[in-house]
Amino acid sequence: MAVTAIVGANWGDEGKGKITDYLAGESDIVVRFQGGNNAGHTVINDYGKFALHLLPSGVFYKNVINVLGPGVALNIPAFIKEKNELVERGVPEPGLKISERIQVVLPFHILFDELEEERLADKKFGSTKSGIAPFYSDKFLKLGVQVSDLFDKDRLTERLQASLAAKNVLLEHLYEKPSISIDSIIATLMRDKELIQPYISDTTKLLHDALLENKCILVEGQLGALRDPDHGIYPYPTSSSTLAGYAAVGAGIPPYCIKRIVAVVKSYSSCVGAGPFVTEIEGENGDILRKKGGDAGEYGATTGRPRRMGWFDGVATSYGCRIQGATEIALTNLDVLGYLEEINVCIAYEIDGKKTEDFPIPGKLEKAKPVYKKLTGWECEISHIRNFKDLPNEAKAYVQFVEDYTGIPVKWISVGPKREEMIKINLGA
Ligand code: GDP
């Protein structure tokens, strides 16, 4: 009865998709438990390069069942489009199941996301405008629509009437836009319901039965620990919890089943959107790292936006691992740093003249200045290396630093974006 969680220890874009794709081969079920199609997981394997937004990263394995749990934000057209694109590119039809309790991203969620970013102007949060914040707001305002409601027209009409009552007032008086007619929304949803029907099931039962049969389950997080609404860099989090602890809720499994928590840690830092980013590298040096990072530069998998770049932040990463409850680290993108003679790593923050290794509350984070230590670079390509002992000593020392600073064993080192570019290690053994 063991579940493995694969979650981000940083701001997202750590390479969770690659790690999940790698580990999914040994799994029976892969589950997404939060978020929507607002972020992307890049996966590069024998079928080609893919940016997955809503589909779990187990979709490339024929025998894996991929589940969208009730905690996910389901954009039906986006889900169907992503699935069809995969199949058109030669991937076998994936096994997909969607919770009957999942809530649906409605067209007006996307509209309100756009209007609100427009209204906030230079105070905007850098939303991907996928409707995710208005979606989760409605969910907790008890104005959401569960996918099962699409099959009960009276209930759906009631739910939408409740939701649109306040929205149309806002549209008219705050945003000065035309109001939305319930009929047009219902017509769209009646089309969507036909498309989604084959995938809907009681995934909570499916997962509980699988646990009883000792099946191997992976739960896959979106974004990273520092984007968690409670523990992250509020008010710049995402709108659902990114933590392994939430996987139990968002997937629908007992919390005590999650035995292994793989925190995906990036060898440097990257961050999309607004908010404090203590180790940011601005100017030309940031541009160089951006160009060298990831599989084709560090640009958002969903939006194509350039990511902000920074040095490895030990303070933020240790905190990220702690709130994830990490039992092991998968360290990604180590190959990217191979061009540097010296590499900065942040070992403390200085806030109001005082040094600390504790990650502060958001108000103080804005004032934090990084305290760096310099590590020697290895100045060579390492993507071909598959054994830890074959890494240059400087790269080994970098990995050892991450393990020592965070206190969490580094079990995996990713040395390139492709599935096979991976080193399995056990430094502590
Ligand atoms: P995710 O959302 O956490 O899955 O991360 P993204 O897919 O948004 O971003 C990670 C980026 O790094 C993608 O471009 C991946 O292809 C790439 N990537 C993952 N692991 C490695 C690695 O070890 N080395 C390099 N060079 N790129 C990697």
Side-chain angles (χ1 to χ4, degrees), residues 8 12-19 39-44 49-50 52 57 220-223 264 266 268 292-301 307 331-336 383 413-418 421:
D13 306 324
E14 297 93 347
K16 295 174 295 295
K18 161 160 177 179
I19 303 296
H41 291 171
T42 311
V43 174
I44 304 177
K49 175 177 165 177
F50 298 86
L52 299 178
S57 303
E220 175 187 19
Q222 183 214 34
L223 291 159
V264 185
K266 207 162 181 163
Y268 48 91
K292 296 219 178 254
D295 71 291
E298 291 281 359
Y299 301 91
R307 292 174 179 155
L331 184 66
T332 62
N333 286 272
L334 189 65
D335 54 299
V336 171
S383 290
I413 305 171
S414 176
V415 289
K418 298 197 187 114
E421 289 170 331

Side-chain angles (χ1 to χ4, degrees), residues 126-253:
S127 163
T128 60
K129 300 179 190 160
S130 319
I132 300 303
F135 165 90
Y136 280 109
S137 307
D138 269 2
K139 180 170 180 170
F140 295 108
L141 281 168
K142 281 112 39 201
L143 292 174
V145 168
Q146 291 190 327
V147 77
S148 307
D149 296 335
L150 306 190
F151 301 88
D152 179 342
K153 207 165 171 189
D154 290 343
R155 187 178 158 90
L156 176 67
T157 307
E158 230 173 80
R159 308 281 324 125
L160 288 171
Q161 273 165 345
S163 184
L164 283 176
K167 286 195 178 62
N168 277 335
V169 176
L170 282 176
L171 274 175
E172 196 182 330
H173 297 286
L174 177 66
Y175 300 112
E176 297 175 344
K177 300 282 177 206
S179 58
I180 298 168
S181 96
I182 192 166
D183 294 343
S184 70
I185 302 284
I186 289 182
T188 305
L189 292 177
M190 289 303 105
R191 182 204 65 201
D192 289 353
K193 104 177 174 182
E194 301 301 329
L195 299 171
I196 211 68
Q197 187 166 28
Y199 304 101
I200 298 168
S201 70
D202 181 351
T203 57
T204 308
K205 181 168 175 1
L206 179 135
L207 292 174
H208 281 248
D209 289 348
L211 285 167
L212 290 174
E213 290 165 28
N214 264 327
K215 294 255 170 77
C216 183
I217 298 176
L218 281 187
V219 292
E220 175 187 19
Q222 183 214 34
L223 291 159
L226 301 163
R227 297 286 185 195
D228 182 75
D230 290 309
H231 297 274
I233 52 170
Y234 199 85
Y236 301 98
T238 191
S239 304
S240 60
S241 175
T242 53
L243 302 184
Y246 185 73
V249 179
I253 50 174

